[in-house]
Amino acid sequence: MRDWLAAAADARPEGIALLAAGRSWTFAELQADASALAARLRAAGVRAGDRIAVLLPNGVDYVRLIHALARLGAVLVPLNLRLTPAELRWPLTRTGAGLLLHNDETAAAAQSLADLARPLALDALAAYPADPDDWCERPLDLEAAQAIIFTSGTSGAPKGAVLTFGNHFYGAMASAYRIGVLPHDRWLAPLPLYHVGGLAVVLRSCLYTTTVVLPPTHDAAAISRALDAQAVTLVSLV
């Protein structure tokens, strides 16, 4: 199957893929960003099949990273920001992730886990030479793992649930069948991107060539403002 972001960029290059941080990204722009990031991650040593831990808040960087890792064939291991460094040791140990991507906000926690996974700031990737043209598109295997997401662990130790591209694809098709899809839909995603509820919106909106709206914070007032100001038609909530 074709790379979902590349296919969306071909189908609707000027369509709005993402609204976040006070600006918008077209599918063509998001495609270019993901290609550049994939190239830099490759230069940093990321290879197909690698398990890459991510400790980031919701934001544009996270969305780019989701697509870039998929393009490389690497497996996303999204870490829960609410966990303590001690609690984060469990998913890192269980997945054997060799790299832990972070930003300034999560740097201290990432550095405390350096004995398990190499911390690497996203900003530091700018130092790696890269040719984005090499990573404009990569076929997706529906049976391949896209992410390992850990359960909450309310009845025992958290368990890593492996989600394949097929899981996301058929989930998107089922959602489209039950809810419907309109060309100008905008899906508000206040749920964390380390949770399947947030991650699924990013991927299925690529398949639909519709818009993801990321609110600046997760409080009720911010979500209400986004609903009013961004012409939102769909929202995922708990």
Side-chain angles (χ1 to χ4, degrees), residues 62-198:
Y62 213 144
V63 174
R64 292 183 183 123
L65 190 57
I66 289 167
H67 293 300
L69 291 176
R71 190 155 292 179
L72 289 167
V75 182
L76 170 69
V77 181
L79 299 178
N80 187 333
L81 290 177
R82 295 185 177 188
L83 298 182
T84 65
E87 291 170 325
L88 289 171
R89 301 184 74 83
W90 175 258
L92 286 176
T93 302
R94 297 294 291 173
T95 59
L99 188 66
L100 173 53
L101 297 172
H102 64 86
N103 66 0
D104 290 346
E105 181 181 331
T106 58
Q111 291 297 331
S112 73
L113 299 163
D115 60 313
L116 294 177
R118 175 168 68 100
L120 179 62
L122 283 182
D123 288 348
L125 287 170
Y128 288 87
D131 183 358
D133 290 340
D134 290 342
W135 296 99
C136 287
E137 182 171 355
R138 177 189 177 92
L140 294 182
D141 177 2
L142 290 184
E143 295 185 2
Q146 183 273 328
I148 301 174
I149 298 180
F150 278 77
T151 62
S152 61
T154 52
S155 60
K159 300 172 182 65
V162 178
L163 295 180
T164 66
F165 287 99
N167 292 146
H168 288 294
F169 179 79
Y170 292 112
M173 296 306 102
S175 175
Y177 176 72
R178 302 299 294 180
I179 299 174
V181 179
L182 297 174
H184 299 291
D185 271 341
R186 292 185 171 189
W187 202 316
L188 183 66
L191 298 178
L193 294 179
Y194 60 73
H195 185 280
V196 67

